[in-house]
């Protein structure tokens, strides 16, 4: 894994956005995987401020969605992706695909989502955040490394972390649809972004820990083109910090 350590969230966003824009401008990135949560917001802000016309034709796939929320609910990932990605980047709504978590047949929604990714030729670059417990998408600890898009139950810790997006704790959904770890691993390139001390433990386990279902992000050690773009606070538990710094300085 390549580890880029920057000074703050804004720099993390700009670094990731520049990388995405280079890929979009050259035609190498036509499908982008997007994440929700606060970590990637600085990427979307930077993409908006450096907007290029080629972004209009981008196909976008979300990582996950809550089960049981209407798409119009402001905390649904449909709504978040529309606000933060589709509108900011002037994408065509028909090119934006989010799993349908409110339908009668969730298994069919998962299968449709996988088929849509395959029909688009796969994801060229996947943006990821990371949960404090090491989850990526909503693949909670002990998720199978070969899992596909499916329904998962959220851990109490994740529900507590995400309660800030809801008026009352009991409104946080208990289940979600998420791309599987196997699905995410098929992305041609991955950029994982994180900032802040609350992510330091998960980042150290993901990069330097044993590959283990207890830290789902550690599966990325098997991915050939993954870059972590993190700030100093998120990097502070890394044992080989001086090594990553020396690579980036050289
Ligand atoms: C949610 C999302 C993840 C995201 C995580 C971290 O659980 N499903 O994709 O990475 O939150 O969010 P934040 O960046 O706000 O810490």
């Amino acid at each position: 894994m390549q580890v880029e350590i920057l000074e703050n969230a804004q720099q993390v966003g700009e670094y990731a956005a520049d990388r995405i824009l280079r890929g979009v401008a050259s035609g190498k990135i036509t499908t982008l995987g997007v994440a929700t949560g606060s970590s990637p917001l600085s990427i979307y802000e930077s993409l908006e401020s450096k907007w290029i016309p080629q972004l209009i034709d981008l196909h976008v796939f979300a990582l996950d969605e809550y089960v049981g929320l209407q798409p119009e609910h402001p905390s649904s990932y449909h709504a978040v992706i529309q606000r933060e990605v589709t509108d900011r980047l002037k994408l065509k709504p028909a090119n934006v695909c989010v799993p349908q978590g409110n339908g009668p047949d969730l298994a069919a929604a998962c299968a449709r989502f996988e088929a849509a990714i395959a029909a688009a030729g796969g994801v060229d670059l996947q943006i990821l955040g990371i949960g404090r417990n090491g989850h990526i998408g909503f693949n909670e600890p002990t998720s199978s490394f070969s899992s596909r898009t499916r329904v998962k139950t959220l851990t109490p810790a994740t529900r507590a972390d995400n309660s800030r997006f809801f008026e009352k704790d009991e409104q946080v959904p208990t289940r979600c649809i998420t791309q599987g770890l196997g699905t995410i691993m098929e992305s041609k390139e991955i950029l994982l972004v994180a900032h802040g001390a609350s992510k330091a433990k998960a980042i150290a386990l993901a990069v330097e820990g044993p590959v283990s279902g207890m830290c789902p992000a550690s599966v990325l050690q098997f991915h050939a083109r993954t870059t972590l773009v993190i700030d100093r606070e998120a990097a502070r538990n890394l044992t080989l910090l001086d090594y990553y710094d020396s690579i980036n300085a050289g």
Side-chain angles (χ1 to χ4, degrees), residues 35-40 63-64 66 77 128-132 135-138 158 162 164-165 199:
T36 52
S38 46
S39 307
L63 275 171
D64 43 20
Y66 291 111
Y77 286 171
L128 294 177
I130 187 169
R132 287 192 305 141
H135 74 224
I136 49 177
F138 267 137
T158 296
N162 289 3
R164 68 189 193 277
F165 299 112
K199 300 295 172 69

Side-chain angles (χ1 to χ4, degrees), residues 47-59:
L47 285 173
E48 182 182 21
S49 71
K50 299 176 177 188
W51 190 84
I52 56 171
Q54 291 97 317
L55 283 167
I56 288 180
D57 292 317
L58 207 55
H59 282 69

Side-chain angles (χ1 to χ4, degrees), residues 41-247:
L41 290 180
S42 60
I43 304 179
Y44 307 139
E45 283 159 14
S46 185
L47 285 173
E48 182 182 21
S49 71
K50 299 176 177 188
W51 190 84
I52 56 171
Q54 291 97 317
L55 283 167
I56 288 180
D57 292 317
L58 207 55
H59 282 69
V60 163
F61 291 92
L63 275 171
D64 43 20
E65 175 59 292
Y66 291 111
V67 165
L69 290 190
Q70 296 302 314
E72 300 76 31
H73 189 292
S75 301
S76 78
Y77 286 171
H78 271 84
V80 173
I81 296 293
Q82 186 177 332
R83 275 196 310 272
E84 303 297 345
V85 182
T86 314
D87 292 351
R88 279 173 185 269
L89 308 189
K90 305 184 179 70
L91 306 181
K92 295 175 187 152
N95 290 348
V96 178
C97 188
V98 182
Q100 194 197 350
N102 68 325
D105 189 342
L106 296 175
C110 295
R112 271 201 308 278
F113 187 78
E114 286 274 339
I117 294 180
V123 170
D124 294 321
L125 185 142
Q126 175 67 56
I127 298 169
L128 294 177
I130 187 169
R132 287 192 305 141
N133 62 5
H135 74 224
I136 49 177
F138 267 137
N139 291 281
E140 298 283 37
T142 73
S143 287
S144 160
F145 284 173
S146 55
S147 51
R148 311 300 306 183
T149 301
R150 69 210 184 289
V151 175
K152 282 292 284 180
T153 299
L154 300 174
T155 59
T158 296
R159 291 189 67 227
D161 281 348
N162 289 3
S163 65
R164 68 189 193 277
F165 299 112
F166 294 83
E167 278 173 24
K168 294 182 183 159
D169 291 358
E170 55 270 26
Q171 291 172 342
V172 185
T174 56
R175 294 188 303 156
C176 64
I177 290 179
T178 181
Q179 284 191 34
L181 293 174
T183 318
I184 292 170
M185 288 291 284
E186 285 173 6
S187 309
K188 289 161 201 136
E189 184 176 357
I190 293 176
L191 281 183
L192 186 151
V193 292
H195 38 81
S198 67
K199 300 295 172 69
K201 191 173 153 220
I203 289 294
L205 282 172
V207 181
E208 298 177 340
V211 175
S212 160
M214 284 302 282
C215 178
S218 66
V219 72
L220 299 175
Q221 292 178 32
F222 286 122
H223 192 278
R225 295 184 68 210
T226 286
T227 306
L228 264 74
V229 191
I230 58 180
D231 74 354
R232 293 250 154 231
E233 286 289 292
R236 72 183 193 187
N237 287 12
L238 290 168
T239 310
L240 299 182
L241 204 48
D242 57 342
Y243 176 55
Y244 312 128
D245 275 338
S246 71
I247 295 170

